[in-house]
């Protein structure tokens, strides 16, 4: 009777439909057959394992034996087409359906079978403890899942994955509908082109138009790239982004580049028009959308005169007036020009400045300069200084491509420590003139006298500025034998946060110039002095004491707390024996109080 119930249980599991018995995944993942499970077993409560050669599993990861268990299986399972047979008359590696391989058992030679070279297989698995005997005519195995639990799996005779997908008929009627439903964006889409935006947004590139060649381009602001700061002319200017860039150009043959390189010619910076709004690209013939670039003063073209290239552009300044969504209303440009000597390895440093201001805003209002904070300084903003009544930014030395000092200087940014250096070449003059020129090179011209306490300091309010202290090393201490000149300037800035801790404001507490001197020979016809400038910011913020925590309990006992115990001890020796229990309780109470205080 017992064996009959087991047989019925077995038949039940084998006859339950696939969708009810379990959910066969296309791959029994993590299933690993044990060595004891791969071989055939006897009928006495063991599994009988068999395998059809050339059948792959789509589902749990299955490890099959190298030798087939069923000798009567077809050597090459019937497939509609061998998709991996790419080489006619030759065996394709790991293509188990390639008849040119002439392999009885491809798995014994190939490490794996390529997808599509064998029939797909699905496995239906249940817990191995539920199966006592298998009479299934289908191949079956016991696998070990990732949790170490044995699973009894039956191979489905014909997986639905072997069914062919019917081809859809495509004709002129449904071609566009299918392409729209299943297709994506095309590289050469001609159905719809995105129209330009109606107006510029902050940061958008500014569109330009060259009427002579009917070419649309962008307003460029060359910027320096790499260690040498070479000019990258493809850098676009952003709408409403007022900024300046500096870059260097090197010439192998300046005699040819003098008149042929457009970067040196002022005319190449205004021989185009600027579109008021981007939608002007849709109607380039309408001059209402175009704004000409007007030069402030006449700039000559480069001319090669003997050994000198004259009228070379060294600075370009664009002034652009905007009117909200109505776009750009006016564009003007001014130039700085210089002369270059024609010699091998000649270099040129160029500055490009773009400044935006509101339409019809006064020039005086636009030249007042922006704040570096309101009121406290913002890290990275220029450090403001004052010379007389003129407000400007503190600067550091800047070198050219050959290491010599440039007349352009680095802007000191608040909170950013920096160091810079260069070589200053001086002609033979007396010592006092040398010192004066080097002082001017170190701290710039004009020399800063006061420094702004806050980022919104007003030059008219002297109380908002603090004097810059100066300290020189003693000349006698340097044991100078000839001319002593400053070769290093360290700018020390003391600053701190004040105000609410939730919104602290940075302010400058003080500043100092610290010079270092060196002895040089002033009798030489030309002197080259290495100079160095350093700026350091020191945070001297005194943070307030943190708020007090929660009040702690101050345990105090009444003055007569120990009175009962004293009375118990005073009754005599017999009563003392009876008070031991009371003493123990007192000790426990004291220990509890101490634990509360330590917590």
């Amino acid at each position: 009777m017992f064996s009959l119930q087991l047989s019925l249980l077995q038949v039940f599991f084998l006859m339950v439909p696939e969708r009810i018995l379990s959910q066969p995944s296309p791959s029994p993942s993590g299933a690993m057959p044990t060595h004891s499970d791969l071989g055939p077993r006897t009928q006495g409560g063991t599994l009988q394992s068999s395998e059809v050669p050339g059948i792959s599993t789509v589902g749990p990861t299955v490890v099959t034996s190298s030798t087939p268990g069923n000798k009567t299986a077809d050597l090459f399972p019937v497939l509609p087409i061998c998709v991996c047979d790419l080489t006619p008359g030759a065996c394709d590696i790991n293509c188990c359906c390639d008849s040119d391989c002439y392999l009885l058992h491809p798995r014994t030679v190939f490490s794996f079978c390529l997808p599509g070279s064998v029939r797909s297989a699905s496995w239906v698995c249940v817990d191995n403890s539920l199966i006592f005997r298998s009479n299934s005519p289908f191949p079956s195995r016991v696998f070990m899942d990732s949790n170490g639990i044995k699973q009894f799996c039956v191979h489905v005779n014909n997986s639905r994955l072997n069914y062919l997908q019917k081809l859809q008929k495509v004709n002129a009627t449904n071609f566009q509908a299918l392409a729209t439903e299943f297709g994506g964006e095309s590289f050469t889409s001609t159905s719809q082109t995105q129209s330009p935006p109606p107006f510029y947004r902050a940061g958008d590139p500014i569109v330009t138009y060259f009427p002579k060649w009917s070419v649309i381009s962008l307003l460029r602001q060359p910027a320096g790239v790499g260690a040498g700061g070479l000019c990258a002319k493809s850098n676009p200017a952003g709408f409403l982004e007022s900024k300046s860039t500096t870059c260097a150009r090197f010439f192998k043959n300046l005699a040819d580049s003098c008149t042929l390189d457009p970067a040196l010619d002022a005319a190449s910076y205004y021989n185009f028009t600027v579109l008021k709004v981007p939608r002007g690209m849709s109607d380039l013939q309408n001059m209402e959308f175009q704004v000409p670039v007007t030069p402030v003063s006449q700039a000559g073209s480069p001319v090669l005169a003997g050994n000198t290239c004259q009228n070379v552009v060294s600075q370009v300044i664009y002034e652009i007036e905007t009117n909200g969504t109505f776009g750009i209303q006016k564009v003007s440009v001014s130039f700085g020009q210089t002369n270059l000597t024609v010699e091998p390895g000649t270099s040129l440093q160029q500055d490009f400045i773009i400044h935006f201001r509101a339409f019809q805003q006064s020039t005086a209002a636009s030249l007042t300069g922006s704040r570096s904070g309101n009121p406290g300084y913002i890290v990275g903003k220029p450090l403001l200084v004052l010379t007389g009544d003129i407000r400007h930014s503190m600067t550091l030395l800047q070198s050219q491509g050959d290491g010599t000092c440039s007349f352009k200087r680095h802007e000191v940014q608040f909170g950013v420590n920096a160091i810079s250096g260069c070589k200053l070449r001086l002609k033979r003059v007396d010592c006092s003139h040398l010192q004066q020129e080097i002082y001017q090179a170190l701290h710039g011209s004009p020399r800063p006298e006061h420094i702004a306490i806050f980022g919104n300091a007003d030059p008219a309010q002297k109380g908002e500025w603090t004097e810059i202290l100066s300290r020189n090393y003693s000349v006698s201490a340097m044991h100078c034998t000839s001319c002593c000149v400053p070769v290093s300037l360290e700018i020390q800035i003391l600053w701190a946060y004040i105000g609410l801790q939730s919104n602290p404001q940075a302010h400058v507490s003080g500043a100092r110039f610290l010079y270092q001197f060196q002895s040089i020979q002033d009798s030489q016809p030309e002197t080259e002095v290495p100079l160095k400038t350093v700026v350091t910011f020191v945070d001297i913020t005194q943070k307030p004491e943190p708020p007090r925590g929660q009040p702690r309990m101050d345990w105090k006992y009444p003055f007569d707390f120990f009175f009962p115990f004293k009375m118990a001890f005073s009754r005599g020796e017999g009563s003392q024996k009876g008070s031991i229990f009371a003493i123990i309780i007192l000790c426990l109470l004291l220990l509890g109080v101490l634990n509360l205080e330590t917590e």
Side-chain angles (χ1 to χ4, degrees):
M1 181 65 183
F2 178 72
S3 61
L4 178 60
Q5 292 177 354
L6 289 178
S7 300
L8 291 176
L9 179 63
Q10 171 199 358
V11 171
F12 170 76
F13 277 103
L14 293 177
M15 296 184 64
V16 170
E18 178 181 344
R19 62 180 181 274
I20 300 177
L21 181 60
S22 70
Q23 295 180 356
S25 69
S27 268
S29 306
M32 296 296 294
T34 60
H35 292 289
S36 60
D37 297 327
L38 292 178
R41 300 185 180 179
T42 62
Q43 293 290 338
T46 60
L47 297 176
Q48 193 153 9
S49 175
S50 62
E51 178 188 357
V52 178
I55 297 181
S56 68
T57 59
V58 181
T61 304
V62 179
V63 178
T64 59
S65 59
S66 58
T67 56
N70 189 348
K71 303 295 184 179
T72 62
D74 188 6
L75 296 180
F76 298 99
V78 178
L79 292 174
I81 187 172
C82 189
V83 295
C84 56
D85 184 6
L86 304 180
T87 310
C91 178
D92 292 276
I93 303 300
N94 295 327
C95 185
C96 296
C97 62
D98 191 351
S99 58
D100 296 325
C101 296
Y102 297 101
L103 295 175
L104 295 177
H105 310 299
R107 293 181 185 274
T108 60
V109 179
F110 297 148
S111 57
F112 64 94
C113 290
L114 290 171
S117 63
V118 293
R119 279 187 174 273
S120 298
S122 297
W123 296 83
V124 179
C125 302
V126 295
D127 195 312
N128 187 43
S129 61
L130 301 177
I131 304 299
F132 179 73
R133 176 182 297 176
S134 172
N135 292 333
S136 172
F138 305 107
S140 60
R141 283 193 179 278
V142 175
F143 298 102
M144 190 80 71
D145 62 10
S146 58
N147 297 324
I149 301 176
K150 292 184 178 181
Q151 298 285 332
F152 174 78
C153 300
V154 176
H155 177 262
V156 178
N157 187 24
N158 190 13
S159 172
R160 62 171 60 93
L161 297 177
N162 291 318
Y163 299 160
L164 293 176
Q165 181 73 25
K166 292 183 179 180
L167 296 176
Q168 299 189 50
K169 293 183 179 180
V170 179
N171 49 39
T173 305
N174 63 353
F175 188 97
Q176 183 61 38
L178 294 174
T180 304
E181 180 180 358
F182 300 100
E185 295 183 0
S186 173
F187 289 105
T188 58
S189 177
T190 57
S191 56
Q192 290 183 354
T193 57
Q194 186 177 4
S195 59
F199 51 85
Y200 290 111
R201 297 180 182 272
D204 286 351
I206 299 173
V207 184
T208 60
Y209 177 63
F210 292 83
K212 184 177 180 179
W213 300 285
S214 300
V215 173
I216 296 177
S217 183
L218 300 176
L219 182 63
R220 308 291 182 179
Q221 185 177 12
V225 295
L230 298 178
C231 289
K233 62 180 181 180
S234 59
N235 182 51
F239 183 70
L240 294 182
E241 293 182 351
S242 299
K243 60 181 179 180
S244 61
T245 58
T246 301
C247 61
R249 299 184 188 273
F250 296 88
F251 305 95
K252 294 182 179 179
N253 188 355
L254 182 59
D256 295 337
S257 302
C258 180
T259 55
L260 298 179
D261 192 344
L264 308 181
D265 190 359
S268 63
Y269 296 98
Y270 61 87
N271 61 345
F272 53 85
T273 60
V274 176
L275 298 188
K276 287 185 178 181
V277 289
R279 59 188 176 92
M281 290 187 293
S282 59
D283 189 6
L284 294 174
Q285 304 302 322
N286 190 350
M287 299 303 296
E288 293 182 0
F289 290 111
Q290 300 182 26
V291 179
V293 181
T294 306
V296 176
S297 59
Q298 191 65 29
S301 300
V303 176
L304 184 61
N307 200 34
T308 303
C309 182
Q310 301 176 353
N311 300 331
V312 174
V313 173
S314 61
Q315 186 181 56
V316 181
I317 303 176
Y318 285 106
E319 292 284 342
I320 303 177
E321 297 184 13
T322 62
N323 189 12
T325 57
F326 292 97
I328 297 172
Q329 304 298 315
K330 183 179 179 181
V331 181
S332 61
V333 61
S334 58
F335 301 97
Q337 293 183 310
T338 186
N339 299 331
L340 296 178
T341 302
V342 178
E343 58 184 5
T346 303
S347 62
L348 170 66
Q349 183 171 294
Q350 290 183 313
D351 300 306
F352 298 90
I353 302 172
I354 295 182
H355 184 260
F356 290 86
R357 69 169 184 261
F359 185 55
Q360 293 181 348
Q361 180 183 2
S362 64
T363 306
S366 63
L367 295 178
T368 55
S370 59
R371 303 185 183 100
S372 294
N374 193 21
Y377 274 101
I378 298 175
V379 175
K381 291 294 184 179
L383 186 64
L384 303 180
V385 292
L386 189 68
T387 302
D389 294 330
I390 301 175
R391 189 187 78 164
H392 54 99
S393 302
M394 185 175 288
T395 57
L396 298 177
L397 291 171
Q398 180 173 329
S399 63
Q400 299 186 105
D402 57 355
T404 58
C405 295
S406 171
F407 67 95
K408 293 299 178 182
R409 301 173 61 85
H410 284 296
E411 198 172 52
V412 176
Q413 298 176 342
F414 179 81
V416 180
N417 296 337
I419 182 172
S420 64
C422 62
K423 295 180 181 179
L424 182 63
R425 294 175 181 174
L426 300 171
K427 295 182 180 181
R428 181 178 178 180
V429 291
D430 56 63
C431 184
S432 61
H433 284 85
L434 283 176
Q435 291 178 346
Q436 183 178 358
E437 290 190 28
I438 294 177
Y439 270 120
Q440 183 176 351
L442 287 174
H443 52 62
S445 180
R447 183 187 186 279
E449 299 174 353
H450 296 80
I451 188 169
I453 299 177
F454 288 99
N456 62 345
D458 185 0
Q461 302 295 329
K462 301 302 181 182
E464 299 180 2
W465 304 81
T466 183
E467 184 180 359
I468 300 176
L469 306 177
S470 232
R471 178 184 175 186
N472 300 343
Y473 283 122
S474 175
V475 176
S476 60
M478 301 298 298
H479 302 288
C480 288
T481 58
S482 58
C483 181
C484 283
V485 296
V487 294
S488 174
L489 169 62
E490 182 180 359
I491 306 171
Q492 299 175 341
I493 310 294
L494 303 182
W495 68 279
Y497 281 117
I498 61 172
L500 298 175
Q501 292 192 48
S502 60
N503 186 23
Q505 301 295 312
H507 82 293
V508 173
S509 302
R512 181 176 67 171
F513 284 169
L514 186 62
Y515 297 95
Q516 291 184 358
F517 288 80
Q518 180 180 329
S519 176
I520 63 171
Q521 298 293 333
D522 58 349
S523 60
Q524 298 178 356
E526 185 173 297
T527 304
E528 187 177 84
V529 182
L531 302 180
K532 181 178 68 174
T533 51
V534 180
V535 59
T536 56
F537 290 84
V538 181
D539 185 1
I540 60 172
T541 303
Q542 295 181 354
K543 297 184 179 179
E545 295 182 1
R548 297 180 180 180
Q550 296 295 329
R552 301 182 62 180
M553 295 184 179
D554 187 10
W555 296 96
K556 294 182 179 180
Y557 302 104
F559 69 94
D560 57 348
F561 180 78
F562 294 98
F563 178 76
F565 302 100
K566 292 181 180 179
M567 295 299 296
F569 284 117
S570 65
R571 290 177 184 175
E573 191 175 320
S575 62
Q576 289 180 4
K577 294 181 181 179
S579 64
I580 295 176
F581 181 73
I583 295 175
I584 295 175
I585 293 176
L586 175 61
C587 293
L588 293 176
L589 288 174
L590 292 175
L591 289 174
V593 171
L594 291 175
N595 290 333
L596 288 175
E597 289 186 353
T598 56
E599 291 177 357

